[in-house]
Amino acid sequence: MEFKDYYQLLGVEKSASEGEIKKAYRKLAKKYHPDANAGSDAGAEKFKEINEAYEVLGDQEKRAKYNEMYEDMKSGRYRGAQAGFDPSRYRTHAGNNGGYTYSWTSDGGDASDFSDFFNMFFRGKSKVYDDFFGAGGYEYYNENGQDISAKVEIGIRQAYKGGQQTVSLQTENGTKTVKFNIPAGIGQGEKIKLSGLGGKASGKGKAGDLYLEIDLKPEAGFSLNGSDLEKTVDIYPWQAALGDEILVNTLDEKLSIKIPAGIQTGGKLRVSARGYPLKNGKRGSLSLTVKIVNPAVITEDMKNLYAQMAQLMKKTGSGQSN
């Protein structure tokens, strides 16, 4: 009797996890499925072999039993390693000689299609088999496509306003370009479900879904801290010293902001209800950080004024010390 190397048939190591075995099986099942190999006897035989391998390795009890035989064969512990598999080494209490009775009956068509090795030690249908192929066997093989998740970066302004976006995703089936609508005010980490745009199905199964997780990125000078919009605003030295009123562009309007006299670089200005939308219909705050800057062009008159200010600072003893 020929010993079946089920790990080799599925192309996995003996240490493979349950998930790795299932993934390898699904890939091979799709490749050699009769629907994709019409009229190919070799394809049908390969499909039957990988079904048999998964019937054993996909079941914990059967896999544990198989692993004992596998170790014996690979280690050469029994003569079977050199002279063919010897089933009498694995005894039961069924007969006086302790050996197996080499006979079986069909359990709905699947076991009788498998090898003598399988039918002697692992015959009978299992839940694993039915989960993938249904009670009628592999001709009814229908598998839903897998759901796919991907993270998509969206600018804060675009997310606030909403609209259509196009994104290219790298999947196991190649590059996929997807158009989708962004709901206005979508939040960080929220997901957009695109039905039927996930993994491909087999047979009459349904295609998987695509889930796009939104990652909000700074845009137009704005960053997001929870529901608060944060932005840095530049002001001139005289505005900081004397106070002023400036116009600030937000995501959807221009606001008139009062600068208090004597504000320093790093000072904060907070405007309530002008931040990012919340689920309850309210909005967070707008937080502005002040940065004092010099004019890009300084005229002679301006230089003279700065010089006068420097002299006044010295007279009053208000010179800067570090």
Side-chain angles (χ1 to χ4, degrees), residues 259-281:
I259 304 296
I263 195 169
Q264 302 291 327
T265 290
K268 301 285 186 179
L269 302 173
R270 191 173 181 86
V271 184
S272 62
R274 288 296 186 271
Y276 205 74
L278 299 169
K279 291 299 181 184
N280 59 11

Side-chain angles (χ1 to χ4, degrees), residues 211-278:
Y211 291 87
L212 301 178
E213 181 181 347
I214 301 301
D215 185 16
L216 298 181
K217 293 298 181 183
E219 185 180 19
F222 288 96
S223 59
L224 195 61
N225 183 6
S227 61
D228 289 349
L229 284 174
E230 297 182 336
K231 184 177 185 178
T232 296
V233 292
D234 294 342
I235 62 174
Y236 295 123
W238 55 89
Q239 291 177 304
L242 304 175
D244 202 352
E245 192 166 320
I246 64 173
L247 286 178
V248 175
N249 290 317
T250 68
L251 294 178
D252 57 357
E253 62 182 333
K254 286 187 176 182
L255 290 179
S256 180
I257 304 295
K258 288 185 177 181
I259 304 296
I263 195 169
Q264 302 291 327
T265 290
K268 301 285 186 179
L269 302 173
R270 191 173 181 86
V271 184
S272 62
R274 288 296 186 271
Y276 205 74
L278 299 169

Side-chain angles (χ1 to χ4, degrees), residues 14 85 115 129 152 171 248 259 286 290:
K14 180 176 177 290
F85 180 65
S115 68
Y129 187 87
V152 178
T171 70
V248 175
I259 304 296
L286 173 63
V290 170

Side-chain angles (χ1 to χ4, degrees), residues 58-316:
D59 184 285
Q60 290 185 357
E61 291 185 8
K62 289 179 180 179
R63 184 181 181 184
K65 181 178 179 180
Y66 174 76
N67 281 344
E68 293 183 18
M69 305 178 190
Y70 183 87
E71 289 296 334
D72 290 342
M73 289 296 294
K74 293 300 180 181
S75 67
R77 187 176 306 162
Y78 295 138
R79 67 179 180 84
Q82 291 80 30
F85 180 65
D86 182 5
S88 67
R89 293 288 184 181
Y90 304 93
R91 302 181 181 279
T92 67
H93 300 289
N96 293 331
N97 63 357
Y100 282 94
T101 301
Y102 189 58
S103 63
W104 63 89
T105 57
S106 172
D107 288 317
D110 60 302
S112 59
D113 286 338
F114 288 162
S115 68
D116 290 349
F117 174 79
F118 174 89
N119 285 298
M120 173 167 281
F121 297 107
F122 306 104
R123 69 177 181 267
K125 292 172 67 178
S126 72
K127 183 179 183 298
V128 173
Y129 187 87
D130 287 342
D131 280 347
F132 279 91
F133 298 100
Y138 65 72
E139 61 182 303
Y140 297 103
Y141 172 59
N142 300 308
E143 183 183 356
N144 292 335
Q146 291 184 331
D147 291 340
I148 298 175
S149 296
K151 184 170 287 189
V152 178
E153 294 184 354
I154 302 294
I156 292 175
R157 171 176 281 178
Q158 184 181 13
Y160 176 79
K161 293 183 177 181
Q164 193 174 75
Q165 170 78 355
T166 301
V167 64
S168 294
L169 304 173
Q170 190 66 39
T171 70
E172 61 180 6
N173 297 318
T175 301
K176 177 181 290 188
T177 301
V178 177
K179 289 184 178 180
F180 62 98
N181 288 319
I182 304 170
I186 192 169
Q188 172 69 21
E190 288 191 50
K191 292 184 178 181
I192 297 174
K193 177 182 177 181
L194 302 178
S195 299
L197 294 184
K200 293 182 179 179
S202 296
K204 296 180 180 179
K206 294 182 179 179
D209 298 326
L210 174 61
Y211 291 87
L212 301 178
E213 181 181 347
I214 301 301
D215 185 16
L216 298 181
K217 293 298 181 183
E219 185 180 19
F222 288 96
S223 59
L224 195 61
N225 183 6
S227 61
D228 289 349
L229 284 174
E230 297 182 336
K231 184 177 185 178
T232 296
V233 292
D234 294 342
I235 62 174
Y236 295 123
W238 55 89
Q239 291 177 304
L242 304 175
D244 202 352
E245 192 166 320
I246 64 173
L247 286 178
V248 175
N249 290 317
T250 68
L251 294 178
D252 57 357
E253 62 182 333
K254 286 187 176 182
L255 290 179
S256 180
I257 304 295
K258 288 185 177 181
I259 304 296
I263 195 169
Q264 302 291 327
T265 290
K268 301 285 186 179
L269 302 173
R270 191 173 181 86
V271 184
S272 62
R274 288 296 186 271
Y276 205 74
L278 299 169
K279 291 299 181 184
N280 59 11
K282 297 181 179 180
R283 293 175 63 175
S285 298
L286 173 63
S287 179
L288 302 175
T289 300
V290 170
K291 179 182 178 183
I292 300 174
V293 298
N294 284 309
V297 177
I298 300 178
T299 66
E300 287 298 320
D301 289 340
M302 294 171 69
K303 288 181 180 179
N304 291 334
L305 288 173
Y306 273 120
Q308 291 178 32
M309 183 180 294
Q311 291 298 321
L312 290 172
M313 292 289 289
K314 290 180 180 178
K315 288 181 179 180
T316 59

Side-chain angles (χ1 to χ4, degrees), residues 43-53 110 113-114 138:
E45 183 63 28
K46 185 69 174 178
F47 185 68
K48 188 163 55 179
E49 286 182 339
I50 61 176
N51 289 336
E52 178 179 324
D110 60 302
D113 286 338
F114 288 162
Y138 65 72

